[in-house]
Amino acid sequence: MSTLQQRVDPFGVTTSIINAQVAWMMHPQELSREMSAMSSDVLALQTHVMRRAFGLPSDDVIKPHADDARFSDPVWSETPTWDIIKESYLAFTRRLEDMLFETPGLSHKERRRAAFWVRKWLNAMAPTNFFFTNPVAMRKCVETKGDSLKQGLKHLLRDVKEKNIRMVEADAFTVGKDLGTTPGRVVFRNRLVELIHYTPTTTQVHKTPIVIIMPWINKFYILDLTPSKSMVKYLTDQGYSVFITSWKNPGADMADVGFDNYLLEGVDQVVNTVCELCSVPQVHLTGYCIGGTLVATYMAWANRHYGQKKTPVAHWTLFTTLTDFSRPGDIEVFIDEGAIRALEEKMAEVGYLDGNDMAASFRLLRSNSLVWHYFEKSYLLGEPLPAFNVLFWNMDTTRMPAAMHSFYLREMYLHNNLMKRDALTIAGEPIDLDRITQPLYAVSAEDDHIVPWQQSYRIHKYVNVKAPVRFVLSTSGHILGIVNPVVNPPKRSFWVAEPARNEHFEHWFARAEKKPGSWWEDWLAWLSPQCGPMVAPLDPQAASYPDLGPAPGTYVFEK
């Protein structure tokens, strides 16, 4: 079965389910116990059906999860027929998923993989995804005299042509006009990255500038969506010099670009450029997601390469970042030797991993909300796509260089070498996170399905014991937990506390202070005393200013 999986089904779409079935057959006692439990479910469901059939009130046997909006329309509860269909589907789905998570004789990872793929099949088979089992779609068809189906067919043909289920129209926004509009200039460019300096909006700025290393998955402007949602605008308005990276969208000619290149030609050149430009010995360095993993690697590298006293970073921040990949969440189902080998073979043909392939993987992690929701709304209900800027950014994908992506998957996800002392050698230096002594502010998100906060929290265990760490857990997910502007009244909240060296995340969470509002204010309260006195800002009109064009630069427009 292992050989078959590697050759025919490297991601375990079907073989993981077959493995689970065989495992249950080899454990008849456990299977008998689960069948008895399922019989109890059936009996409870039959009682519910009978009460609804006779018009009697009856509580749902299985209630949808709070974040499951598929059955939110009142018809699914008020009409007995549709209520029975909903309850039958949910009861079968819940029991089967629970069984797979408890499959005897399989490893934790194999159980998760089998449950993941069965959940994807069950999500696809939901009654809401078919016209004749979706009362909302049938009702709208009657109300619109068939126009909803006509519009749905147009949307289907559009997506077939684009080979993707769109979440927002391709022309809904224009970068530089609607998104990424904060004024600034490109001050550095090489084959891998552009560096944008945002125009100061205050008469004085903190002496220590902020350098933000963005992920090279998707584009940088997620932190500069609109003026009301822009982190970079908020920082400049609070008196900070802000620089941000905009990464090149690589093609086949960059197939050999590796993680070393992103560290040397990316972070190291950017940090030294800002130090020289601002005439300062150190910067505040911030990394987001995979950009944060690179920043953590750089901090260990720089402390060895330059020495602790000459490291050009005074303190640093991580946004939703993994450094310990031992339990990376649902994405774990895509990570094993067979799956990585299959990806490497595919990348070898073109020199990169296509952005749509990466996006499809992440959408699968939340298929109900990121796939089937749009399937129902676009095709069955014929509704136009919402003009939502975060979704537009989400579909503005980028490619991954083959060498870099292979290294990242193998060394980080598969072997988890970043948290092992000197197990990695990057740009000529062995990497040990324990060499990092600079103060750290780490932010994670409660509902993050890409970087589980319990794993992000573990960074405090690997940096040097001398490094002060402030950990923040924001409500919401991977994007909106970070793009979390200050508003009144507050929309979100966050937990904050300094974790002890070996403190478990559950203990930290139990004692952390919960505060309403955005963690941005807490971050700046932490940053302000460390970023030095107020000084005159850089003058973009000065002859010595390296002006390479206006923000948002040129790399952001590459498709």
Side-chain angles (χ1 to χ4, degrees), residues 162-228:
E162 297 191 20
K163 300 178 181 179
N164 198 358
I165 299 177
R166 292 206 64 87
M167 297 187 290
V168 65
E169 294 289 356
D171 58 355
F173 300 95
T174 301
V175 177
K177 179 181 178 182
D178 307 306
L179 309 174
T181 59
T182 300
R185 313 295 296 184
V186 177
V187 295
F188 173 79
R189 179 187 295 120
N190 62 19
R191 65 166 183 159
L192 203 53
V193 68
E194 287 181 333
L195 179 65
I196 298 170
H197 172 230
Y198 288 98
T199 304
T201 58
T202 54
T203 56
Q204 289 190 313
V205 296
H206 286 276
K207 184 177 181 179
T208 302
I210 297 175
V211 179
I212 304 176
I213 306 299
M214 293 299 292
W216 47 95
I217 302 171
N218 294 91
K219 306 294 179 65
F220 82 92
Y221 60 85
I222 188 60
L223 294 188
D224 186 31
L225 282 174
T226 63
S228 63

Coordinates of all heavy atoms in Angstrom, one line a residue, residues 162-228:
E162 N -11.3 29.8 -16.7 CA -10.2 30.2 -15.8 C -9.6 29.0 -15.0 O -8.6 29.2 -14.4 CB -10.6 31.3 -14.9 CG -11.0 32.6 -15.6 CD -11.2 33.8 -14.7 OE1 -10.6 33.7 -13.6 OE2 -11.8 34.7 -15.0
K163 N -10.2 27.9 -15.1 CA -9.8 26.7 -14.4 C -9.7 26.9 -12.9 O -8.7 26.5 -12.2 CB -8.5 26.2 -14.9 CG -8.5 25.8 -16.4 CD -7.2 25.3 -16.9 CE -7.2 25.0 -18.4 NZ -5.9 24.5 -18.9
N164 N -10.7 27.6 -12.3 CA -10.6 28.0 -10.9 C -12.0 28.4 -10.5 O -12.8 29.0 -11.3 CB -9.6 29.1 -10.7 CG -9.2 29.2 -9.2 OD1 -9.7 28.5 -8.4 ND2 -8.3 30.2 -9.0
I165 N -12.4 28.2 -9.2 CA -13.6 28.7 -8.7 C -13.3 30.1 -8.1 O -12.6 30.2 -7.0 CB -14.2 27.8 -7.6 CG1 -14.5 26.4 -8.2 CG2 -15.4 28.4 -7.0 CD1 -15.0 25.4 -7.2
R166 N -13.7 31.1 -8.8 CA -13.3 32.5 -8.4 C -14.1 32.9 -7.1 O -15.2 32.5 -6.9 CB -13.6 33.5 -9.5 CG -12.7 33.3 -10.7 CD -12.5 34.7 -11.4 NE -11.8 35.7 -10.6 CZ -10.5 35.8 -10.5 NH1 -9.7 35.0 -11.2 NH2 -10.0 36.7 -9.8
M167 N -13.4 33.7 -6.2 CA -14.0 34.2 -5.0 C -14.3 35.7 -5.2 O -15.1 36.3 -4.5 CB -13.1 34.0 -3.8 CG -12.8 32.5 -3.5 SD -11.9 32.3 -2.0 CE -10.3 32.9 -2.4
V168 N -13.7 36.3 -6.2 CA -13.9 37.7 -6.5 C -13.5 37.9 -8.0 O -12.7 37.2 -8.5 CB -13.0 38.6 -5.6 CG1 -11.5 38.4 -5.8 CG2 -13.4 40.1 -5.7
E169 N -14.2 38.9 -8.6 CA -13.9 39.1 -10.0 C -12.5 39.6 -10.2 O -11.9 40.3 -9.4 CB -14.9 40.2 -10.6 CG -16.3 39.7 -10.6 CD -16.6 38.7 -11.7 OE1 -15.7 38.3 -12.4 OE2 -17.7 38.2 -11.7
A170 N -11.9 39.2 -11.4 CA -10.5 39.6 -11.6 C -10.3 41.1 -11.8 O -9.1 41.6 -11.5 CB -10.0 38.9 -12.9
D171 N -11.3 41.8 -12.1 CA -11.2 43.3 -12.3 C -11.8 44.1 -11.2 O -12.1 45.3 -11.4 CB -11.7 43.7 -13.7 CG -13.2 43.3 -13.8 OD1 -13.7 42.6 -12.9 OD2 -13.8 43.7 -14.9
A172 N -12.1 43.4 -10.1 CA -12.8 44.1 -9.0 C -12.0 45.2 -8.4 O -12.5 46.2 -7.9 CB -13.2 43.1 -7.9
F173 N -10.7 45.1 -8.4 CA -9.8 46.1 -7.8 C -8.6 46.3 -8.7 O -8.2 45.4 -9.5 CB -9.3 45.7 -6.4 CG -10.4 45.5 -5.4 CD1 -10.9 44.3 -5.2 CD2 -10.9 46.6 -4.7 CE1 -11.9 44.1 -4.2 CE2 -11.9 46.5 -3.8 CZ -12.4 45.2 -3.6
T174 N -7.9 47.4 -8.6 CA -6.6 47.7 -9.3 C -5.6 48.1 -8.3 O -5.8 49.0 -7.5 CB -6.8 48.8 -10.3 OG1 -7.8 48.5 -11.2 CG2 -5.5 49.1 -11.0
V175 N -4.5 47.3 -8.2 CA -3.4 47.6 -7.3 C -2.8 48.9 -7.7 O -2.5 49.1 -8.9 CB -2.4 46.4 -7.3 CG1 -1.2 46.8 -6.4 CG2 -3.0 45.1 -6.9
G176 N -2.5 49.7 -6.7 CA -2.0 51.1 -7.0 C -3.0 52.1 -7.1 O -2.7 53.3 -7.0
K177 N -4.3 51.7 -7.4 CA -5.4 52.6 -7.5 C -6.4 52.4 -6.3 O -6.8 53.3 -5.7 CB -6.1 52.4 -8.8 CG -7.3 53.4 -9.0 CD -7.9 53.1 -10.4 CE -9.2 54.0 -10.6 NZ -9.8 53.7 -11.9
D178 N -6.8 51.1 -6.1 CA -7.7 50.8 -5.1 C -7.0 50.2 -3.9 O -7.5 50.4 -2.7 CB -8.8 49.8 -5.6 CG -9.5 50.3 -6.8 OD1 -10.0 51.4 -6.8 OD2 -9.5 49.5 -7.8
L179 N -5.9 49.4 -4.1 CA -5.2 48.7 -3.1 C -3.7 49.1 -3.2 O -3.2 49.4 -4.2 CB -5.3 47.2 -3.3 CG -6.8 46.7 -3.4 CD1 -6.7 45.2 -3.7 CD2 -7.6 46.9 -2.2
G180 N -3.1 49.1 -2.0 CA -1.6 49.4 -2.0 C -1.4 50.9 -2.4 O -0.5 51.2 -3.2
T181 N -2.1 51.8 -1.8 CA -2.1 53.2 -2.2 C -1.3 54.1 -1.3 O -1.2 55.3 -1.6 CB -3.5 53.7 -2.4 OG1 -4.2 53.6 -1.1 CG2 -4.3 53.0 -3.4
T182 N -0.8 53.6 -0.2 CA 0.0 54.5 0.7 C 1.2 55.0 0.0 O 2.0 54.2 -0.6 CB 0.4 53.7 2.0 OG1 -0.8 53.2 2.6 CG2 1.2 54.6 2.9
P183 N 1.4 56.3 0.0 CA 2.6 56.9 -0.8 C 3.9 56.4 -0.3 O 4.1 56.2 0.9 CB 2.4 58.4 -0.5 CG 1.0 58.6 -0.1 CD 0.6 57.4 0.6
G184 N 4.8 56.2 -1.2 CA 6.1 55.7 -0.9 C 7.0 55.6 -2.2 O 6.5 55.8 -3.3
R185 N 8.2 55.2 -2.0 CA 9.1 55.1 -3.1 C 9.9 53.8 -3.0 O 10.2 53.3 -1.9 CB 10.1 56.3 -3.2 CG 9.6 57.6 -3.1 CD 8.6 58.0 -4.2 NE 9.3 58.1 -5.5 CZ 8.7 58.4 -6.6 NH1 7.4 58.8 -6.6 NH2 9.3 58.5 -7.8
V186 N 10.3 53.2 -4.1 CA 11.2 52.0 -4.1 C 12.6 52.6 -4.0 O 13.1 53.4 -4.8 CB 11.0 51.2 -5.4 CG1 12.0 50.1 -5.5 CG2 9.6 50.7 -5.6
V187 N 13.3 52.1 -3.0 CA 14.6 52.6 -2.7 C 15.7 51.5 -2.9 O 16.9 51.8 -2.8 CB 14.7 53.1 -1.2 CG1 13.8 54.3 -1.0 CG2 14.4 52.0 -0.2
F188 N 15.3 50.3 -3.2 CA 16.3 49.2 -3.5 C 15.6 48.2 -4.4 O 14.4 47.9 -4.2 CB 16.8 48.6 -2.2 CG 17.7 47.4 -2.4 CD1 19.0 47.5 -2.7 CD2 17.2 46.1 -2.2 CE1 19.8 46.4 -2.9 CE2 18.0 45.0 -2.4 CZ 19.3 45.2 -2.7
R189 N 16.4 47.6 -5.3 CA 15.8 46.6 -6.1 C 17.0 45.7 -6.6 O 18.0 46.1 -7.0 CB 15.1 47.1 -7.4 CG 14.6 46.1 -8.3 CD 14.0 46.7 -9.6 NE 12.9 47.6 -9.4 CZ 12.8 48.8 -9.7 NH1 13.9 49.4 -10.2 NH2 11.7 49.6 -9.5
N190 N 16.8 44.4 -6.5 CA 17.7 43.4 -7.1 C 16.8 42.3 -7.8 O 15.6 42.5 -7.9 CB 18.7 42.8 -6.1 CG 18.0 42.0 -4.9 OD1 16.8 41.6 -5.1 ND2 18.7 41.8 -3.8
R191 N 17.4 41.2 -8.2 CA 16.7 40.2 -9.0 C 15.6 39.5 -8.1 O 14.7 38.9 -8.7 CB 17.6 39.2 -9.5 CG 18.3 38.3 -8.4 CD 18.9 37.1 -9.0 NE 19.5 36.2 -8.0 CZ 19.8 34.9 -8.1 NH1 19.5 34.4 -9.3 NH2 20.3 34.2 -7.1
L192 N 15.6 39.7 -6.8 CA 14.7 39.0 -5.9 C 13.7 39.8 -5.2 O 12.6 39.3 -4.9 CB 15.6 38.2 -4.9 CG 15.0 37.0 -4.2 CD1 14.5 36.0 -5.3 CD2 16.0 36.3 -3.3
V193 N 14.0 41.1 -5.0 CA 13.1 41.9 -4.1 C 13.2 43.3 -4.4 O 14.3 43.8 -4.9 CB 13.5 41.6 -2.6 CG1 14.9 42.2 -2.3 CG2 12.5 42.2 -1.7
E194 N 12.1 44.0 -4.2 CA 12.1 45.5 -4.2 C 11.8 45.9 -2.7 O 11.1 45.2 -2.0 CB 10.9 46.0 -5.1 CG 11.2 45.9 -6.5 CD 10.1 46.5 -7.4 OE1 8.9 46.6 -6.9 OE2 10.4 47.0 -8.5
L195 N 12.5 47.0 -2.3 CA 12.3 47.5 -1.0 C 11.6 48.9 -1.1 O 12.0 49.8 -1.8 CB 13.6 47.7 -0.3 CG 13.5 48.3 1.1 CD1 12.8 47.3 2.1 CD2 15.0 48.6 1.7
I196 N 10.4 49.0 -0.5 CA 9.6 50.2 -0.5 C 9.8 51.0 0.8 O 9.6 50.4 1.9 CB 8.1 49.9 -0.8 CG1 7.9 49.2 -2.1 CG2 7.3 51.1 -0.7 CD1 6.6 48.6 -2.3
H197 N 10.0 52.3 0.7 CA 10.0 53.1 1.9 C 8.8 54.0 1.8 O 8.6 54.7 0.8 CB 11.3 54.0 1.9 CG 11.3 55.1 3.0 ND1 11.5 56.4 2.7 CD2 11.0 55.0 4.3 CE1 11.4 57.1 3.8 NE2 11.1 56.3 4.8
Y198 N 8.0 54.0 2.8 CA 6.8 54.8 2.8 C 7.0 56.2 3.3 O 7.8 56.4 4.2 CB 5.7 54.1 3.7 CG 5.2 52.9 3.1 CD1 5.7 51.6 3.4 CD2 4.2 52.9 2.1 CE1 5.2 50.5 2.8 CE2 3.7 51.8 1.4 CZ 4.2 50.6 1.8 OH 3.8 49.5 1.2
T199 N 6.4 57.1 2.6 CA 6.6 58.5 2.9 C 6.2 58.9 4.3 O 5.1 58.6 4.7 CB 5.8 59.4 1.9 OG1 6.2 59.0 0.5 CG2 6.1 60.9 2.1
P200 N 7.1 59.5 5.1 CA 6.7 59.9 6.4 C 5.5 60.9 6.4 O 5.4 61.7 5.6 CB 8.0 60.6 7.0 CG 9.1 60.1 6.1 CD 8.5 59.9 4.8
T201 N 4.7 60.7 7.4 CA 3.5 61.6 7.6 C 3.6 62.5 8.8 O 2.7 63.2 9.1 CB 2.2 60.8 7.6 OG1 2.2 59.9 8.7 CG2 2.0 60.0 6.3
T202 N 4.7 62.4 9.6 CA 4.9 63.2 10.8 C 6.2 64.0 10.6 O 7.0 63.6 9.8 CB 5.0 62.3 12.0 OG1 6.0 61.3 11.8 CG2 3.6 61.6 12.3
T203 N 6.3 65.1 11.3 CA 7.4 65.9 11.2 C 8.7 65.3 11.8 O 9.8 65.6 11.4 CB 7.2 67.3 12.0 OG1 6.9 67.0 13.4 CG2 6.1 68.0 11.3
Q204 N 8.5 64.3 12.7 CA 9.6 63.6 13.2 C 9.3 62.1 13.3 O 8.1 61.7 13.4 CB 10.0 64.1 14.6 CG 10.7 65.4 14.6 CD 11.3 65.7 16.0 OE1 10.6 65.6 17.0 NE2 12.5 66.2 16.0
V205 N 10.3 61.2 13.3 CA 10.0 59.8 13.3 C 11.0 59.2 14.4 O 12.0 59.8 14.7 CB 10.3 59.1 12.0 CG1 9.3 59.6 10.9 CG2 11.7 59.3 11.5
H206 N 10.6 58.0 14.8 CA 11.6 57.2 15.7 C 12.8 56.9 14.9 O 12.8 56.6 13.8 CB 10.9 56.0 16.2 CG 9.9 56.2 17.2 ND1 10.1 56.3 18.6 CD2 8.5 56.3 17.1 CE1 9.0 56.5 19.3 NE2 8.0 56.5 18.4
K207 N 13.9 57.0 15.7 CA 15.3 56.8 15.0 C 15.4 55.5 14.4 O 16.0 55.3 13.3 CB 16.4 57.1 16.0 CG 17.8 57.0 15.4 CD 18.8 57.4 16.5 CE 20.2 57.3 15.9 NZ 21.3 57.7 16.9
T208 N 14.9 54.4 15.1 CA 15.1 53.0 14.6 C 14.0 52.7 13.6 O 12.8 52.7 14.0 CB 15.1 52.0 15.8 OG1 16.1 52.3 16.7 CG2 15.2 50.6 15.2
P209 N 14.3 52.5 12.4 CA 13.2 52.2 11.4 C 12.7 50.7 11.5 O 13.3 49.9 12.1 CB 14.0 52.3 10.0 CG 15.4 52.0 10.4 CD 15.6 52.5 11.8
I210 N 11.5 50.5 11.0 CA 10.9 49.2 11.0 C 11.0 48.6 9.6 O 10.6 49.3 8.6 CB 9.4 49.3 11.3 CG1 9.2 49.8 12.8 CG2 8.7 47.9 11.2 CD1 7.8 50.0 13.2
V211 N 11.5 47.4 9.5 CA 11.7 46.7 8.2 C 10.8 45.5 8.3 O 10.9 44.6 9.1 CB 13.1 46.3 7.9 CG1 13.2 45.5 6.6 CG2 14.0 47.5 7.9
I212 N 9.8 45.4 7.3 CA 8.8 44.3 7.3 C 9.2 43.3 6.2 O 9.2 43.7 5.0 CB 7.4 44.8 7.2 CG1 7.1 45.8 8.3 CG2 6.4 43.6 7.2 CD1 5.7 46.4 8.2
I213 N 9.5 42.1 6.5 CA 9.7 41.0 5.5 C 8.4 40.3 5.3 O 8.0 39.5 6.1 CB 10.8 40.1 6.0 CG1 12.1 40.9 6.4 CG2 11.2 39.0 5.0 CD1 12.7 41.7 5.3
M214 N 7.9 40.4 4.1 CA 6.6 39.8 3.8 C 6.8 38.4 3.2 O 7.9 38.1 2.8 CB 5.9 40.7 2.7 CG 5.5 42.0 3.3 SD 4.3 41.9 4.7 CE 2.9 41.2 3.8
P215 N 5.7 37.6 3.2 CA 5.8 36.3 2.6 C 6.0 36.5 1.1 O 5.5 37.5 0.5 CB 4.5 35.6 2.9 CG 3.8 36.5 4.0 CD 4.4 37.9 3.8
W216 N 6.6 35.5 0.4 CA 6.6 35.5 -1.0 C 5.5 34.6 -1.6 O 5.5 34.3 -2.8 CB 8.0 35.2 -1.6 CG 8.6 33.9 -0.9 CD1 8.6 32.7 -1.4 CD2 9.4 33.9 0.3 NE1 9.3 31.8 -0.6 CE2 9.8 32.5 0.5 CE3 9.8 34.8 1.2 CZ2 10.6 32.1 1.5 CZ3 10.6 34.4 2.3 CH2 11.0 33.1 2.4
I217 N 4.6 34.2 -0.7 CA 3.3 33.6 -1.2 C 2.3 34.7 -1.2 O 2.1 35.4 -0.2 CB 2.9 32.5 -0.2 CG1 4.0 31.4 -0.1 CG2 1.6 31.9 -0.6 CD1 3.7 30.4 1.0
N218 N 1.7 35.0 -2.4 CA 0.9 36.2 -2.6 C 1.7 37.5 -2.5 O 2.9 37.4 -2.4 CB -0.3 36.2 -1.6 CG -1.3 35.1 -1.8 OD1 -1.1 34.0 -1.2 ND2 -2.3 35.3 -2.6
K219 N 1.0 38.6 -2.6 CA 1.7 39.9 -2.8 C 1.8 40.7 -1.4 O 1.0 40.4 -0.5 CB 1.0 40.7 -3.8 CG 0.8 40.1 -5.2 CD 2.1 39.8 -5.9 CE 2.0 39.1 -7.2 NZ 1.2 39.9 -8.2
F220 N 2.6 41.7 -1.4 CA 2.9 42.3 -0.1 C 1.8 43.2 0.4 O 1.7 43.6 1.6 CB 4.2 43.2 -0.3 CG 3.9 44.6 -0.9 CD1 3.6 45.7 -0.1 CD2 3.9 44.7 -2.3 CE1 3.4 46.9 -0.7 CE2 3.6 45.9 -2.9 CZ 3.4 47.0 -2.1
Y221 N 0.9 43.6 -0.5 CA -0.1 44.7 -0.2 C -1.2 44.3 0.8 O -2.1 45.1 1.1 CB -0.7 45.4 -1.4 CG -1.4 44.4 -2.3 CD1 -2.8 44.1 -2.1 CD2 -0.8 43.8 -3.4 CE1 -3.5 43.3 -2.9 CE2 -1.5 43.0 -4.3 CZ -2.9 42.7 -4.0 OH -3.6 41.9 -4.8
I222 N -1.1 43.1 1.3 CA -2.1 42.7 2.4 C -1.9 43.6 3.6 O -2.9 43.8 4.3 CB -1.9 41.2 2.8 CG1 -3.0 40.8 3.7 CG2 -0.5 41.0 3.4 CD1 -4.4 40.8 3.1
L223 N -0.8 44.2 3.8 CA -0.6 45.1 4.9 C -0.8 46.6 4.5 O -0.5 47.5 5.2 CB 0.8 45.0 5.5 CG 1.1 43.6 6.2 CD1 2.4 43.7 6.9 CD2 0.0 43.3 7.2
D224 N -1.3 46.7 3.2 CA -1.6 48.1 2.7 C -2.8 48.0 1.8 O -2.8 48.4 0.7 CB -0.4 48.7 2.0 CG -0.6 50.1 1.6 OD1 -1.4 50.8 2.3 OD2 -0.1 50.6 0.6
L225 N -3.9 47.4 2.3 CA -5.1 47.2 1.5 C -5.8 48.5 1.2 O -5.8 48.9 0.0 CB -6.1 46.3 2.2 CG -5.7 44.8 2.2 CD1 -6.7 44.0 3.1 CD2 -5.8 44.2 0.8
T226 N -6.3 49.1 2.1 CA -7.0 50.4 2.0 C -6.5 51.3 3.1 O -6.0 50.8 4.1 CB -8.5 50.3 2.1 OG1 -8.9 49.8 3.4 CG2 -9.0 49.3 1.0
P227 N -6.7 52.6 3.0 CA -6.2 53.5 4.1 C -6.7 53.1 5.5 O -6.0 53.2 6.5 CB -6.8 54.9 3.7 CG -6.8 54.8 2.2 CD -7.2 53.4 1.9
S228 N -8.0 52.6 5.6 CA -8.5 52.2 6.9 C -8.0 50.9 7.4 O -8.1 50.6 8.6 CB -10.0 52.2 6.8 OG -10.5 51.2 5.9

